[in-house]
Amino acid sequence: MVTALAGAVAALLVFVAQGIVAYVGLLVYAVITDAGLGGQLAGPFLVLLAGGLGVALAPLVFVPAGLAGEAATKGGRLPLKLLIASAVAAVLATIYVAVLAAATDVPTVSTVLACLGGVVAVLAPTTVYVGVAHGVLHTSWIWRRLQASASAVRRI
């Protein structure tokens, strides 16, 4: 439970950071092309939107993908967990974006591009989720081993 919570918080922070980077990129693009900047609240609103979307995506994408990677490897190596979790996250993101696009009657080409964008957007947070969850799990295992060793030494 603690591993999933720590991973979800880390994934949320990465997703919000991606929102900030996207806003800065859009701001630079607007300045270079002499387009409108979107007003004073554009930046905070975009970051708030990314945070809200990240909160929704944590239980819908990051946690299931991380749990699938953990279950498939049964506590195995981190690279294999990352590979499986990234694949599951990519599939889930594609499904969610395609359903949303179909519900809003978006053209096919735009749907494909949105699905690709969704896949790209969830890969970094999923990687962070799996890394943090793996690290917390590994750290707790080491901590238990140290406590068992310390109690064994005290008995002597």
Side-chain angles (χ1 to χ4, degrees), residues 71-153:
T73 60
K74 292 187 170 89
R77 300 259 181 225
L78 182 60
L80 185 58
K81 282 183 194 178
L82 287 172
L83 181 66
I84 292 170
S86 295
V88 170
V91 168
L92 288 173
T94 301
I95 290 169
Y96 295 147
V97 170
V99 166
L100 185 63
T104 56
D105 202 29
V106 173
T108 305
V109 174
S110 297
T111 300
V112 171
L113 291 175
C115 287
L116 290 174
V119 168
V120 170
V122 299
L123 289 181
T126 302
T127 301
V128 169
Y129 174 90
V130 172
V132 168
H134 182 80
V136 168
L137 192 63
H138 190 67
T139 303
S140 66
W141 178 81
I142 291 172
W143 184 253
R144 285 192 307 267
R145 297 279 296 177
L146 287 173
Q147 286 180 333
S149 298
S151 66
V153 168

Side-chain angles (χ1 to χ4, degrees), residues 1-14 58 62-63 124-134 136:
M1 178 66 179
V2 173
T3 58
L5 182 61
V9 168
L12 173 64
L13 292 175
V14 169
F62 310 133
V63 174
T126 302
T127 301
V128 169
Y129 174 90
V130 172
V132 168
H134 182 80
V136 168

Side-chain angles (χ1 to χ4, degrees), residues 39-82:
Q40 294 176 347
L41 296 177
F45 181 72
L46 187 62
V47 172
L48 182 64
L49 185 64
L53 185 60
V55 167
L57 287 178
L60 294 174
V61 175
F62 310 133
V63 174
L67 293 176
E70 184 69 35
T73 60
K74 292 187 170 89
R77 300 259 181 225
L78 182 60
L80 185 58
K81 282 183 194 178
L82 287 172

